[in-house]
């Protein structure tokens, strides 16, 4: 742990769930804006069929939105979209509501259907989308997995850098120990040499004393 910052470890543990939550919220808001805009564009589809009475506006809206949702892979990967389409007077067009008056529209003459479609379109349409990304699904797990992987990569990089520093320090210590051992060996050799010189000098001094005593005698 000497070369592994504790703060980095804590951040790598805490950041993945925090970033996951922030990403999910941001992604939900972004997708809700984009999907709402796209749904508003495709809601009624080709108005010609509405004005000639060949299809009711409810059927057209439900068919177009269902087709749109099937083409969105993100929704199959874990997104959940609750869509409501109403007129300004709160007539529900989506999701489909098979009421008695709607059953009557299906059997009504095309002119009556066209008039009803025109009346509802004149009221204006409101598209309300509530989009959320569910947890423990493919999309959410993928996002969380990416952040966990990045966190592990950061931990690995710090661990490898710390290991390199520890290894370098270990080599420096070994080199210093080796240098000191070499110095110790050199000093031991010098001491041996000095010891031999001391013995030689002692012998020479003793011999000199003997010669001096002989000369005195």
């Amino acid at each position: 742990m000497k070369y592994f910052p504790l703060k980095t470890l804590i951040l790598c543990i805490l950041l993945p769930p925090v970033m996951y939550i922030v990403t999910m919220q941001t992604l939900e808001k972004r997708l809700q804006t984009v999907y709402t805009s796209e749904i508003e564009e495709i809601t009624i589809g080709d108005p010609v069929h509405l004005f000639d009475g060949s299809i009711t506006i409810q059927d057209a809206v439900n068919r177009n939105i269902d087709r749109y949702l099937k083409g969105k892979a993100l929704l199959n990967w874990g997104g959940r979209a609750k869509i409501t389409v109403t007129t300004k007077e709160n007539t529900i067009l989506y999701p489909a509501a098979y009421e008695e008056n709607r059953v009557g529209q299906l059997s009504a003459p095309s002119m009556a259907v066209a008039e009803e479609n025109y009346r509802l379109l004149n009221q204006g349409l409101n598209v309300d989308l509530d989009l959320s990304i569910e947890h423990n699904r493919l999309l959410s797990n993928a996002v969380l997995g990416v952040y966990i992987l990045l966190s592990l990569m950061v931990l690995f990089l710090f661990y490898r850098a710390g290991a390199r520093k520890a290894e370098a320090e270990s080599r420096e210590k070994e080199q210093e120990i080796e240098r000191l051992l070499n110095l110790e060996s050199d000093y031991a050799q010098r001491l041996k040499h000095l010891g031999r010189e001391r013995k030689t000098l002692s012998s020479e001094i003793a011999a000199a004393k003997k010669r001096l005593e002989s000369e005195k005698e």
Side-chain angles (χ1 to χ4, degrees), residues 188-215:
Q189 293 295 330
R190 290 180 184 179
L191 287 174
K192 288 181 180 180
H193 181 68
L194 291 173
R196 287 194 296 268
E197 289 183 350
R198 178 174 173 275
K199 289 181 180 180
T200 302
L201 290 173
S202 296
S203 299
E204 291 177 354
I205 291 171
K209 286 182 178 181
K210 287 182 180 179
R211 286 196 300 271
L212 181 60
E213 289 177 356
S214 297
E215 290 176 358

Side-chain angles (χ1 to χ4, degrees), residues 106-174:
L106 295 175
S107 59
S110 59
M111 183 60 68
V113 173
E115 290 178 354
E116 179 66 11
N117 291 342
Y118 182 77
R119 183 182 70 82
L120 293 174
L121 285 174
N122 277 340
Q123 294 179 15
L125 303 182
N126 287 328
V127 176
D128 181 41
L129 171 63
D130 180 15
L131 188 142
S132 62
I133 299 176
E134 299 177 340
H135 299 292
N136 200 24
R137 296 291 299 277
L138 179 60
L139 180 58
S140 57
N141 289 341
V143 173
L144 182 59
V146 168
Y147 286 125
I148 292 176
L149 181 61
L150 290 175
S151 178
L152 291 176
M153 288 178 62
V154 172
L155 287 175
F156 174 74
L157 291 175
F158 273 93
Y159 171 78
R160 188 169 64 175
R164 287 177 177 175
K165 290 181 179 179
E167 185 179 353
E169 183 177 312
S170 178
R171 284 197 301 268
E172 291 178 358
K173 289 181 178 179
E174 290 176 357

